[in-house]
Short mmCIF file of all heavy atoms in Angstrom, two decimals:
data_model
loop_
_atom_site.label_atom_id
_atom_site.label_comp_id
_atom_site.label_asym_id
_atom_site.label_seq_id
_atom_site.Cartn_x
_atom_site.Cartn_y
_atom_site.Cartn_z
N THR A 677 163.57 133.29 102.33
CA THR A 677 163.18 133.94 103.61
C THR A 677 162.79 132.90 104.67
O THR A 677 163.20 132.94 105.84
CB THR A 677 162.00 134.89 103.42
OG1 THR A 677 162.41 135.85 102.47
CG2 THR A 677 161.69 135.60 104.68
N MET A 678 162.08 131.84 104.21
CA MET A 678 161.63 130.79 105.16
C MET A 678 162.86 130.03 105.74
O MET A 678 162.94 129.84 106.93
CB MET A 678 160.74 129.81 104.38
CG MET A 678 160.40 128.58 105.16
SD MET A 678 159.47 127.37 104.10
CE MET A 678 160.69 127.11 102.79
N VAL A 679 163.77 129.69 104.84
CA VAL A 679 165.01 128.98 105.26
C VAL A 679 165.82 129.84 106.22
O VAL A 679 166.30 129.42 107.27
CB VAL A 679 165.86 128.52 104.10
CG1 VAL A 679 167.13 127.91 104.56
CG2 VAL A 679 165.10 127.66 103.21
N ALA A 680 165.98 131.15 105.86
CA ALA A 680 166.73 132.08 106.76
C ALA A 680 166.08 132.17 108.09
O ALA A 680 166.83 132.29 109.08
CB ALA A 680 166.87 133.44 106.05
N PHE A 681 164.77 132.24 108.12
CA PHE A 681 164.09 132.39 109.40
C PHE A 681 164.33 131.17 110.31
O PHE A 681 164.63 131.29 111.47
CB PHE A 681 162.60 132.62 109.23
CG PHE A 681 161.77 132.56 110.43
CD1 PHE A 681 161.77 133.71 111.33
CD2 PHE A 681 161.01 131.38 110.79
CE1 PHE A 681 161.04 133.66 112.48
CE2 PHE A 681 160.27 131.36 112.04
CZ PHE A 681 160.27 132.50 112.83
N ILE A 682 164.14 129.99 109.71
CA ILE A 682 164.42 128.71 110.43
C ILE A 682 165.84 128.66 110.98
O ILE A 682 166.12 128.34 112.11
CB ILE A 682 164.05 127.50 109.62
CG1 ILE A 682 162.58 127.54 109.29
CG2 ILE A 682 164.38 126.22 110.32
CD1 ILE A 682 162.17 126.49 108.28
N LEU A 683 166.78 129.03 110.08
CA LEU A 683 168.20 128.92 110.49
C LEU A 683 168.49 129.96 111.56
O LEU A 683 169.16 129.60 112.54
CB LEU A 683 169.11 129.26 109.22
CG LEU A 683 170.56 129.26 109.51
CD1 LEU A 683 171.09 127.93 110.00
CD2 LEU A 683 171.32 129.71 108.18
N ALA A 684 167.98 131.19 111.48
CA ALA A 684 168.19 132.20 112.55
C ALA A 684 167.60 131.74 113.90
O ALA A 684 168.21 131.83 114.96
CB ALA A 684 167.59 133.45 112.13
N LEU A 685 166.41 131.14 113.79
CA LEU A 685 165.80 130.63 115.02
C LEU A 685 166.59 129.56 115.71
O LEU A 685 166.82 129.53 116.97
CB LEU A 685 164.36 130.09 114.69
CG LEU A 685 163.57 129.53 115.87
CD1 LEU A 685 163.28 130.66 116.90
CD2 LEU A 685 162.24 128.94 115.38
N LEU A 686 167.18 128.58 114.91
CA LEU A 686 167.92 127.52 115.46
C LEU A 686 169.30 128.05 115.94
O LEU A 686 169.82 127.52 117.04
CB LEU A 686 168.20 126.47 114.32
CG LEU A 686 167.04 125.66 113.87
CD1 LEU A 686 167.45 124.70 112.75
CD2 LEU A 686 166.42 124.89 115.01
N ILE A 687 169.87 129.01 115.41
CA ILE A 687 171.14 129.57 115.85
C ILE A 687 170.86 130.30 117.24
O ILE A 687 171.68 130.10 118.21
CB ILE A 687 171.68 130.57 114.91
CG1 ILE A 687 172.24 129.84 113.64
CG2 ILE A 687 172.83 131.44 115.50
CD1 ILE A 687 172.72 130.74 112.50
N VAL A 688 169.79 131.07 117.28
CA VAL A 688 169.51 131.71 118.61
C VAL A 688 169.27 130.70 119.74
O VAL A 688 169.82 130.81 120.82
CB VAL A 688 168.27 132.63 118.45
CG1 VAL A 688 167.76 133.19 119.78
CG2 VAL A 688 168.53 133.75 117.54
N VAL A 689 168.46 129.65 119.42
CA VAL A 689 168.20 128.61 120.43
C VAL A 689 169.49 127.92 120.76
O VAL A 689 169.79 127.63 121.96
CB VAL A 689 167.17 127.66 119.92
CG1 VAL A 689 166.99 126.45 120.92
CG2 VAL A 689 165.81 128.36 119.71
N GLY A 690 170.24 127.65 119.74
CA GLY A 690 171.61 126.93 120.01
C GLY A 690 172.53 127.73 120.86
O GLY A 690 173.16 127.18 121.77
N LEU A 691 172.61 129.02 120.63
CA LEU A 691 173.51 129.83 121.47
C LEU A 691 172.97 129.92 122.93
O LEU A 691 173.84 130.00 123.88
CB LEU A 691 173.54 131.24 120.84
CG LEU A 691 174.30 131.40 119.54
CD1 LEU A 691 174.13 132.79 118.93
CD2 LEU A 691 175.86 131.09 119.74
N ILE A 692 171.65 129.88 123.12
CA ILE A 692 171.17 129.90 124.46
C ILE A 692 171.43 128.62 125.23
O ILE A 692 171.90 128.57 126.31
CB ILE A 692 169.65 130.19 124.42
CG1 ILE A 692 169.39 131.70 123.89
CG2 ILE A 692 169.03 130.05 125.84
CD1 ILE A 692 167.96 131.98 123.69
N VAL A 693 171.12 127.53 124.49
CA VAL A 693 171.31 126.22 125.10
C VAL A 693 172.85 125.79 125.10
O VAL A 693 173.35 125.16 126.09
CB VAL A 693 170.60 125.10 124.32
CG1 VAL A 693 170.76 123.70 124.91
CG2 VAL A 693 169.08 125.49 124.34
N ASN A 694 173.57 126.24 124.10
CA ASN A 694 175.00 125.97 124.00
C ASN A 694 175.36 124.48 124.10
O ASN A 694 175.97 124.04 125.09
CB ASN A 694 175.82 126.74 124.99
CG ASN A 694 177.28 126.73 124.71
OD1 ASN A 694 177.69 126.50 123.57
ND2 ASN A 694 178.10 126.88 125.70
N PRO A 695 174.85 123.66 123.20
CA PRO A 695 175.14 122.23 123.35
C PRO A 695 176.49 121.85 123.10
O PRO A 695 177.21 122.42 122.21
CB PRO A 695 174.15 121.64 122.22
CG PRO A 695 174.09 122.67 121.26
CD PRO A 695 174.12 123.98 121.99
N ARG A 696 177.04 120.83 123.84
CA ARG A 696 178.35 120.39 123.64
C ARG A 696 178.39 118.87 123.85
O ARG A 696 178.31 118.31 124.95
CB ARG A 696 179.36 121.01 124.68
CG ARG A 696 179.46 122.44 124.58
CD ARG A 696 180.43 123.04 125.65
NE ARG A 696 181.76 122.72 125.22
CZ ARG A 696 182.61 123.52 124.55
NH1 ARG A 696 182.07 124.62 124.08
NH2 ARG A 696 183.83 123.13 124.26
N VAL A 697 178.31 118.21 122.69
CA VAL A 697 178.23 116.68 122.72
C VAL A 697 179.53 116.12 122.09
O VAL A 697 179.78 116.50 120.94
CB VAL A 697 176.97 116.26 121.95
CG1 VAL A 697 176.97 114.76 121.96
CG2 VAL A 697 175.75 116.84 122.50
N GLN A 698 180.26 115.30 122.81
CA GLN A 698 181.48 114.72 122.29
C GLN A 698 181.18 113.62 121.31
O GLN A 698 180.34 112.68 121.55
CB GLN A 698 182.30 114.10 123.47
CG GLN A 698 183.69 113.76 123.01
CD GLN A 698 184.58 115.02 122.82
OE1 GLN A 698 184.35 116.07 123.43
NE2 GLN A 698 185.53 114.94 121.96
N ILE A 699 181.71 113.79 120.11
CA ILE A 699 181.56 112.79 119.08
C ILE A 699 182.98 112.34 118.56
O ILE A 699 183.61 113.15 117.99
CB ILE A 699 180.72 113.31 117.82
CG1 ILE A 699 181.22 114.64 117.27
CG2 ILE A 699 179.25 113.46 118.24
CD1 ILE A 699 180.56 115.05 116.08
N GLY A 700 183.27 111.16 118.84
CA GLY A 700 184.59 110.67 118.46
C GLY A 700 185.65 111.19 119.45
O GLY A 700 185.32 111.78 120.54
N SER A 701 186.93 111.00 119.09
CA SER A 701 187.96 111.32 120.06
C SER A 701 188.45 112.73 119.97
O SER A 701 189.09 113.31 120.93
CB SER A 701 189.16 110.36 119.87
OG SER A 701 189.58 110.48 118.50
N ARG A 702 188.25 113.41 118.81
CA ARG A 702 188.95 114.74 118.59
C ARG A 702 187.90 115.84 118.36
O ARG A 702 188.23 117.04 118.42
CB ARG A 702 189.85 114.69 117.40
CG ARG A 702 191.03 113.76 117.64
CD ARG A 702 192.06 113.96 116.56
NE ARG A 702 191.52 113.73 115.23
CZ ARG A 702 192.18 114.05 114.06
NH1 ARG A 702 193.27 114.69 114.09
NH2 ARG A 702 191.62 113.73 112.96
#
């Protein structure tokens, strides 16, 4: 439950921020 909560929180924050960082060429 602890892991699921942390993962869900990170996913929600990630969707809001929507990071796009280029790593490598492809």
Side-chain angles (χ1 to χ4, degrees):
T677 302
M678 173 186 61
V679 177
F681 172 76
I682 295 174
L683 178 60
L685 180 63
L686 292 178
I687 290 175
V688 171
V689 173
L691 289 173
I692 294 174
V693 178
N694 192 23
R696 300 179 71 90
V697 180
Q698 193 71 29
I699 52 173
S701 59
R702 294 191 301 169

